[in-house]
């Protein structure tokens, strides 16, 4: 992985969520979703697993089940992905 790879952002997550699982018509992913619960946004565990798989493939990291289970909001998932990216860069 290149150390020049930029951090994973909320906009990256929005794109991946749309690609992996689409978006519920009643949810505005372009709004302030950082602290919204994934359930409230219409993303259940299967959609999040697909999202995680896409993140792993695109960003070259592995997200364990604990990370996914603890990341209940988009902000928490963005932070977790960046922590994994930082660890991978340091290795």
């Amino acid at each position: 992985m290149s150390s020049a790879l930029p951090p994973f952002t909320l906009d990256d997550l929005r794109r991946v969520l749309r690609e992996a699982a689409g978006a519920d018509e009643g949810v505005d992913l372009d709004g302030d979703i950082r602290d919204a619960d994934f359930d409230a946004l219409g993303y259940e565990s299967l959609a999040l697993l697909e999202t995680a798989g896409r993140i792993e493939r695109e960003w070259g990291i592995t997200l364990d089940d604990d990370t996914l289970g603890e990341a209940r909001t988009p902000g928490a998932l963005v932070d977790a992905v960046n922590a994994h990216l930082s660890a991978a860069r340091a290795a």
Side-chain angles (χ1 to χ4, degrees):
M1 173 184 320
S2 167
S3 62
L5 193 60
F8 186 77
T9 67
L10 195 56
D11 286 337
D12 292 322
L13 180 58
R14 286 182 178 105
R15 178 184 52 78
V16 173
L17 283 168
R18 286 182 176 117
E19 290 172 357
D24 187 301
E25 288 183 21
V27 175
D28 178 16
L29 286 181
D30 293 320
D32 184 13
I33 63 166
R34 183 169 179 78
D35 296 321
D37 192 273
F38 278 116
D39 288 337
L41 294 172
Y43 293 98
E44 80 292 338
S45 59
L46 212 50
L48 293 176
L49 285 174
E50 176 62 25
T51 297
R54 286 177 182 254
I55 292 169
E56 290 174 339
R57 288 188 297 278
E58 188 170 332
W59 293 86
I61 59 172
T62 300
L63 300 171
D64 58 51
D65 291 341
D66 288 340
T67 298
L68 289 177
E70 293 169 6
R72 301 299 311 149
T73 67
L77 184 54
V78 167
D79 292 345
V81 169
N82 282 316
H84 279 74
L85 287 171
S86 292
R89 288 180 187 127

